[in-house]
Amino acid sequence: MNKKTVIIVDDEQAARRHLRDVISGFDALNIVAEAADGKSAIEQIMLWRPDIVFLDIEMPELNGFDVAQATQGLTYQLIFMTAYEQYALKAFDTNAIDYLVKPARPELIAKSIGKIVRQQTHNQPQRSSERLILNDHAQQKIIEFEHISYIESIGRYRRVHLTAQGAGIHSTDTIISEQTLDGFCTQLPDSQFYRLHRSYIINATQLLELKYHARKHFVLLAGTDVQIPVSRRFIHTLKERITTR
C-alpha cells in the first residue's frame, strides 16, 4: 500500500510535535515536511505535492488562507487547525475537509485522518498526461516529460531546456514560455521534477551530481555543463529525496 504523504504547517513547535505524535499512529501516513510560516509552507507544498496538509491559520507574513489560495491548483486534502473558531465558514470555502480548534484532542485528529485513509485509491485524482503543451510563438509544441532537462526563470519568461533527444525531435534546444514556475509545478510529476530554487526546476532523471563550492550548492545534469544553484530552503529536502530515490 502506498502511504499518503503529509505536510504539517504551524508556527508553534509544540503544535507540530502534537500532530507528529498522533500521525505516527497511522501506518498509512508519511510526514514528508514541516513548515513554520506561510512562505515556507507554499514552497514545501509545491515541492512535495502531498496528499494531506494540516494547516494553521494565524502565522507570520502569510496566513493559512494565503497558503491555500497559492496552492489551490494542486490536489491535496486540507485540514485547518487553529485556535480561532471564527474562521470556520471561510475555511470551508477553501474546500477544506475539516476544521479543528486547537488544542484538538487526539481522537478528533484521528477521526479527520480516518476520513482520508478510508477513501479508495481509485477515487483519487490522477495525472492525465505525461507531456506539456507549450505555446512557442504561433505554434503549440507537445513536449514529453522525459525530453525536459530543466526549466529556468528569466525575467517575466521561463526557458524550458530540452534534453539532446528532445532537441533532436523539436529542432531546438530551448522553448520560451510565459507559464510561471509555480504553474509548471502543478503540471509536472513531483516524483520526477524537483524545485531547487526560485528560478529553477530540474528533471531528476537527468541529475548527475550535487556539488558544494564556495559555500553554495549546485547540481549538474546530463548533457549540460551548466551549474544549477540550489537554494538553502531546498537543499535539505533535495538531499532527502536523493537518498530515497
Side-chain angles (χ1 to χ4, degrees):
M1 177 180 66
N2 292 328
K3 291 190 175 185
K4 291 183 179 295
T5 53
V6 179
I7 290 180
I8 297 172
V9 182
D10 201 301
D11 62 340
E12 297 178 0
Q13 185 175 3
R16 297 197 303 274
R17 183 170 59 248
H18 177 55
L19 266 175
R20 283 199 306 271
D21 291 343
V22 176
I23 291 171
S24 65
F26 286 81
D27 293 336
L29 303 184
N30 178 34
I31 300 172
V32 295
E34 296 183 15
D37 59 77
K39 183 177 180 182
S40 297
I42 293 170
E43 291 176 349
Q44 293 297 331
I45 292 170
M46 289 293 189
L47 180 65
W48 286 99
R49 283 180 251 183
D51 297 307
I52 306 168
V53 176
F54 285 89
L55 183 59
D56 191 14
I57 292 180
E58 291 284 353
M59 294 184 294
E61 296 186 27
L62 301 176
N63 64 33
F65 296 121
D66 295 325
V67 174
Q69 182 177 10
T71 59
Q72 63 184 343
L74 302 181
T75 300
Y76 61 86
Q77 302 282 12
L78 175 58
I79 300 174
F80 277 112
M81 294 194 67
T82 177
Y84 305 94
E85 296 183 2
Q86 66 266 29
Y87 294 126
L89 289 178
K90 185 176 180 180
F92 285 110
D93 283 341
T94 67
N95 295 321
I97 68 164
D98 222 334
Y99 183 93
L100 303 178
V101 178
K102 296 188 293 185
R105 299 194 308 274
E107 57 267 30
L108 291 179
I109 299 173
K111 185 177 180 181
S112 290
I113 295 172
K115 293 178 186 177
I116 300 170
V117 173
R118 287 191 297 269
Q119 289 180 353
Q120 296 298 316
T121 301
H122 68 264
N123 289 331
Q124 298 176 2
Q126 302 293 324
R127 294 184 184 276
S128 60
S129 175
E130 295 297 326
R131 57 192 183 182
L132 287 176
I133 299 177
L134 299 177
N135 292 320
D136 183 29
H137 301 294
Q139 298 179 326
Q140 282 192 326
K141 290 188 177 292
I142 300 174
I143 311 297
E144 301 291 331
F145 290 163
E146 63 181 315
H147 295 152
I148 299 172
S149 176
Y150 66 99
I151 303 172
E152 172 190 18
S153 182
I154 46 170
R156 58 186 292 259
Y157 297 101
R158 261 49 58 193
R159 179 182 288 141
V160 180
H161 295 260
L162 303 182
T163 63
Q165 184 179 15
I169 292 172
H170 296 284
S171 301
T172 182
D173 295 329
T174 61
I175 297 173
I176 301 299
S177 172
E178 294 185 352
Q179 173 73 279
T180 65
L181 284 190
D182 287 347
F184 278 117
C185 282
T186 65
Q187 299 177 64
L188 297 169
D190 59 338
S191 60
Q192 183 177 347
F193 289 86
Y194 299 170
R195 179 79 175 265
L196 300 185
H197 188 277
R198 65 182 181 181
S199 299
Y200 290 95
I201 298 171
I202 68 163
N203 184 344
T205 65
Q206 303 296 307
L207 181 60
L208 293 180
E209 185 179 355
L210 172 61
K211 298 179 61 176
Y212 184 72
H213 177 68
R215 303 179 67 180
K216 295 182 180 180
H217 285 91
F218 303 88
V219 295
L220 295 180
L221 304 181
T224 176
D225 57 2
V226 176
Q227 296 191 77
I228 298 174
V230 184
S231 70
R232 290 183 181 180
R233 286 187 177 273
F234 291 105
I235 185 60
H236 179 68
T237 301
L238 174 64
K239 288 180 178 179
E240 284 187 341
R241 299 189 74 177
I242 288 175
T243 59
T244 57
R245 280 179 57 192

